[in-house]
Coordinates of all heavy atoms in Angstrom, one line a residue:
F24 N -0.2 -4.6 8.5 CA 0.8 -4.5 9.4 C 2.2 -4.4 8.7 O 3.1 -3.6 9.1 CB 0.8 -5.6 10.5 CG -0.6 -5.8 11.1 CD1 -1.0 -7.1 11.4 CD2 -1.5 -4.7 11.3 CE1 -2.2 -7.3 12.0 CE2 -2.7 -4.9 11.9 CZ -3.1 -6.3 12.2
L25 N 2.4 -5.3 7.8 CA 3.6 -5.4 7.2 C 3.9 -4.2 6.3 O 5.1 -3.7 6.2 CB 3.8 -6.7 6.3 CG 3.7 -8.0 7.1 CD1 3.6 -9.2 6.1 CD2 4.9 -8.2 8.0
L26 N 3.0 -3.8 5.5 CA 3.1 -2.7 4.7 C 3.5 -1.3 5.5 O 4.3 -0.6 5.2 CB 1.9 -2.3 3.8 CG 1.8 -1.1 2.9 CD1 2.9 -1.2 2.0 CD2 0.5 -1.0 2.3
R27 N 2.7 -1.1 6.5 CA 3.0 0.1 7.4 C 4.4 -0.1 8.0 O 5.1 0.9 8.1 CB 2.0 0.1 8.5 CG 0.6 0.6 8.0 CD -0.5 0.6 9.1 NE -0.1 1.3 10.3 CZ -0.5 2.5 10.6 NH1 -1.2 3.3 9.6 NH2 -0.1 3.2 11.7
Q28 N 4.7 -1.2 8.5 CA 6.1 -1.5 9.1 C 7.2 -1.1 8.1 O 8.1 -0.5 8.3 CB 6.2 -2.9 9.6 CG 7.6 -3.3 10.0 CD 7.7 -4.8 10.3 OE1 6.8 -5.6 10.6 NE2 8.9 -5.4 10.0
W29 N 7.0 -1.6 6.8 CA 8.0 -1.3 5.8 C 8.1 0.1 5.4 O 9.1 0.6 5.3 CB 7.6 -2.2 4.5 CG 8.7 -2.1 3.5 CD1 9.8 -2.8 3.3 CD2 8.6 -1.1 2.3 NE1 10.5 -2.4 2.2 CE2 9.8 -1.4 1.6 CE3 7.6 -0.3 1.8 CZ2 10.1 -0.7 0.4 CZ3 7.9 0.4 0.7 CH2 9.0 0.2 0.0
L30 N 6.9 0.8 5.3 CA 6.9 2.2 5.0 C 7.7 3.1 6.2 O 8.5 3.9 5.8 CB 5.6 2.7 4.7 CG 4.9 2.2 3.5 CD1 3.3 2.5 3.6 CD2 5.5 2.8 2.3
K31 N 7.4 2.6 7.4 CA 8.0 3.3 8.5 C 9.4 3.1 8.6 O 10.1 4.0 9.1 CB 7.3 2.8 9.8 CG 5.8 3.3 10.0 CD 5.3 2.8 11.4 CE 3.9 3.4 11.8 NZ 3.5 3.0 13.1
S32 N 9.9 1.9 8.2 CA 11.4 1.6 8.2 C 12.1 2.7 7.4 O 13.3 2.9 7.6 CB 11.6 0.3 7.7 OG 11.4 0.2 6.3
G33 N 11.5 3.3 6.4 CA 12.2 4.4 5.6 C 11.8 5.8 6.0 O 12.2 6.7 5.4
G34 N 11.4 5.9 7.2 CA 11.0 7.3 7.7 C 9.7 7.8 7.2 O 9.5 9.1 7.3
I35 N 8.9 7.2 6.6 CA 7.6 7.6 6.0 C 6.5 7.7 7.0 O 6.3 6.7 7.8 CB 7.2 6.6 4.8 CG1 8.3 6.7 3.7 CG2 5.8 7.1 4.4 CD1 8.0 5.7 2.6
D36 N 5.8 8.7 7.2 CA 4.8 8.9 8.1 C 3.4 8.3 7.3 O 2.9 8.8 6.4 CB 4.4 10.4 8.3 CG 3.4 10.5 9.5 OD1 2.5 9.7 9.5 OD2 3.4 11.5 10.1
V37 N 3.1 7.1 7.7 CA 2.1 6.3 7.0 C 0.7 7.0 7.1 O -0.2 6.8 6.3 CB 1.9 4.9 7.5 CG1 3.2 4.1 7.1 CG2 1.7 4.9 9.1
D38 N 0.4 7.9 8.1 CA -0.8 8.5 8.2 C -0.9 9.9 7.4 O -1.9 10.5 7.2 CB -1.1 8.9 9.6 CG -1.2 7.4 10.5 OD1 -1.9 6.6 9.9 OD2 -0.6 7.4 11.6
K39 N 0.3 10.5 7.0 CA 0.3 11.7 6.4 C 0.9 11.7 5.0 O 0.5 12.3 4.1 CB 1.1 12.7 7.2 CG 0.5 13.0 8.5 CD 1.3 14.1 9.3 CE 0.6 14.4 10.7 NZ 1.4 15.4 11.5
D40 N 2.0 10.9 4.9 CA 2.8 11.0 3.6 C 2.2 10.1 2.4 O 2.5 10.3 1.3 CB 4.2 10.4 3.9 CG 5.0 11.4 4.7 OD1 4.5 12.5 4.9 OD2 5.9 11.0 5.3
V41 N 1.4 9.1 2.8 CA 0.9 8.2 1.8 C -0.6 7.9 2.1 O -1.1 8.2 3.3 CB 1.6 6.8 1.7 CG1 3.0 7.1 1.4 CG2 1.6 6.0 3.1
R42 N -1.3 7.2 1.1 CA -2.6 6.8 1.3 C -2.6 5.2 1.2 O -2.0 4.6 0.3 CB -3.5 7.3 0.2 CG -5.0 6.9 0.3 CD -5.8 7.4 -0.8 NE -5.9 8.9 -0.9 CZ -5.3 9.7 -1.8 NH1 -4.6 9.2 -2.7 NH2 -5.4 11.0 -1.7
I43 N -3.3 4.6 2.1 CA -3.4 3.1 2.1 C -4.8 2.7 1.9 O -5.7 3.2 2.7 CB -2.9 2.5 3.4 CG1 -1.3 2.9 3.7 CG2 -3.1 1.1 3.5 CD1 -0.6 2.3 4.8
V44 N -5.2 2.1 0.9 CA -6.6 1.6 0.7 C -6.7 0.0 0.6 O -5.6 -0.7 0.5 CB -7.0 2.1 -0.7 CG1 -7.0 3.6 -0.7 CG2 -6.2 1.5 -1.9
A45 N -7.8 -0.4 0.9 CA -8.2 -1.9 0.9 C -8.7 -2.3 -0.5 O -9.6 -1.7 -1.0 CB -9.1 -2.3 2.1
L46 N -8.2 -3.4 -0.9 CA -8.6 -4.0 -2.2 C -8.8 -5.5 -2.1 O -7.9 -6.1 -1.4 CB -7.7 -3.6 -3.4 CG -7.6 -2.1 -3.8 CD1 -6.5 -1.9 -4.8 CD2 -9.0 -1.7 -4.4
P47 N -9.5 -6.2 -2.8 CA -9.4 -7.6 -2.9 C -8.2 -8.1 -3.4 O -7.6 -7.5 -4.3 CB -10.6 -8.0 -3.8 CG -11.6 -6.8 -3.7 CD -10.7 -5.7 -3.6
P48 N -7.6 -9.2 -3.0 CA -6.4 -9.7 -3.4 C -6.3 -9.8 -4.9 O -5.3 -9.4 -5.7 CB -6.2 -11.1 -2.8 CG -6.9 -11.0 -1.6 CD -8.1 -10.0 -2.0
T49 N -7.4 -10.3 -5.6 CA -7.4 -10.6 -7.0 C -7.4 -9.3 -7.8 O -7.2 -9.3 -9.1 CB -8.6 -11.3 -7.3 OG1 -9.7 -10.9 -7.0 CG2 -8.5 -12.9 -6.8
Q50 N -7.6 -8.2 -7.2 CA -7.7 -6.9 -8.0 C -6.4 -6.0 -7.9 O -6.2 -5.1 -8.5 CB -8.8 -6.1 -7.4 CG -10.2 -6.6 -7.8 CD -11.4 -5.8 -7.3 OE1 -11.2 -4.5 -7.0 NE2 -12.5 -6.4 -7.3
M51 N -5.4 -6.6 -7.1 CA -4.2 -5.8 -6.9 C -3.4 -5.5 -8.2 O -3.0 -4.4 -8.4 CB -3.2 -6.6 -5.8 CG -3.9 -6.5 -4.4 SD -3.9 -4.8 -3.7 CE -4.4 -5.3 -2.1
A52 N -3.0 -6.6 -8.9 CA -2.2 -6.5 -10.0 C -2.8 -5.7 -11.1 O -2.1 -4.8 -11.7 CB -1.8 -7.8 -10.6
A53 N -4.1 -5.7 -11.3 CA -4.7 -5.0 -12.3 C -4.8 -3.6 -12.0 O -4.7 -2.7 -12.8 CB -6.1 -5.6 -12.6
S54 N -5.0 -3.3 -10.6 CA -5.0 -2.0 -10.2 C -3.6 -1.2 -10.4 O -3.7 0.0 -10.7 CB -5.5 -1.8 -8.7 OG -6.8 -2.3 -8.6
L55 N -2.7 -2.0 -10.1 CA -1.3 -1.5 -10.3 C -1.0 -1.1 -11.8 O -0.6 -0.1 -12.1 CB -0.3 -2.5 -9.9 CG 1.2 -2.0 -9.8 CD1 1.5 -1.0 -8.6 CD2 2.1 -3.3 -9.7
E56 N -1.5 -2.1 -12.6 CA -1.2 -1.9 -14.1 C -1.9 -0.7 -14.6 O -1.5 0.1 -15.5 CB -1.7 -3.2 -14.8 CG -1.4 -3.1 -16.3 CD -1.7 -4.4 -17.0 OE1 -2.3 -5.3 -16.3 OE2 -1.3 -4.5 -18.2
A57 N -3.2 -0.4 -14.0 CA -4.0 0.6 -14.4 C -3.5 2.0 -13.8 O -4.1 3.0 -14.3 CB -5.4 0.4 -14.1
G58 N -2.6 2.0 -13.0 CA -2.1 3.2 -12.3 C -3.0 3.8 -11.2 O -2.8 4.9 -10.8
L59 N -3.9 2.9 -10.8 CA -4.6 3.3 -9.6 C -4.1 3.3 -8.3 O -4.4 4.0 -7.4 CB -5.9 2.4 -9.5 CG -6.9 2.4 -10.9 CD1 -7.9 1.4 -10.7 CD2 -7.3 3.8 -11.2
I60 N -3.0 2.5 -8.1 CA -2.2 2.3 -6.9 C -0.7 2.3 -7.4 O -0.2 1.9 -8.5 CB -2.6 1.2 -6.1 CG1 -2.4 -0.3 -6.8 CG2 -4.0 1.3 -5.4 CD1 -2.7 -1.4 -6.0
D61 N 0.1 2.6 -6.4 CA 1.6 2.7 -6.8 C 2.3 1.3 -6.1 O 3.5 1.2 -6.5 CB 2.2 3.9 -6.1 CG 1.6 5.1 -6.6 OD1 1.9 5.5 -7.9 OD2 0.7 5.8 -6.0
G62 N 1.7 0.5 -5.4 CA 2.3 -0.7 -4.8 C 1.2 -1.3 -4.0 O 0.1 -0.8 -3.7
Y63 N 1.5 -2.4 -3.5 CA 0.6 -3.2 -2.6 C 1.5 -4.3 -1.8 O 2.4 -4.7 -2.1 CB -0.6 -3.7 -3.4 CG -0.1 -4.6 -4.6 CD1 0.5 -6.0 -4.4 CD2 -0.3 -4.2 -5.8 CE1 0.8 -6.7 -5.5 CE2 0.1 -5.0 -6.9 CZ 0.6 -6.3 -6.8 OH 0.9 -7.0 -7.8
C64 N 0.7 -4.7 -0.8 CA 1.1 -6.0 -0.1 C 0.0 -7.0 -0.3 O -1.2 -6.7 0.1 CB 1.4 -5.7 1.3 SG 2.1 -7.1 2.3
V65 N 0.4 -8.1 -0.7 CA -0.7 -9.1 -1.1 C 0.0 -10.5 -1.1 O 1.3 -10.7 -1.0 CB -1.3 -8.8 -2.4 CG1 -0.5 -9.3 -3.6 CG2 -2.6 -9.6 -2.5
G66 N -0.8 -11.6 -0.9 CA -0.3 -13.0 -1.1 C -0.1 -13.3 -2.5 O -0.5 -12.7 -3.5

């Protein structure tokens, strides 16, 4: 919810302009470092 809200606040169409994928929390930072994702929302 927060990620979509933040993206929408900049005028981004979250269903067309970007791709949102689900990952376990512990894999977020490594996936970012590997270039598999461009950002994330996590605890």
Side-chain angles (χ1 to χ4, degrees):
F24 311 144
L25 297 171
L26 179 60
R27 286 173 58 93
Q28 174 188 327
W29 183 81
L30 291 167
K31 285 182 176 181
S32 73
I35 296 169
D36 186 329
V37 293
D38 298 313
K39 296 180 180 179
D40 295 338
V41 297
R42 180 184 296 109
I43 296 178
V44 299
L46 292 169
T49 55
Q50 294 180 16
M51 291 292 188
S54 296
L55 187 75
E56 185 176 8
L59 301 176
I60 56 176
D61 299 288
Y63 53 76
C64 185
V65 76

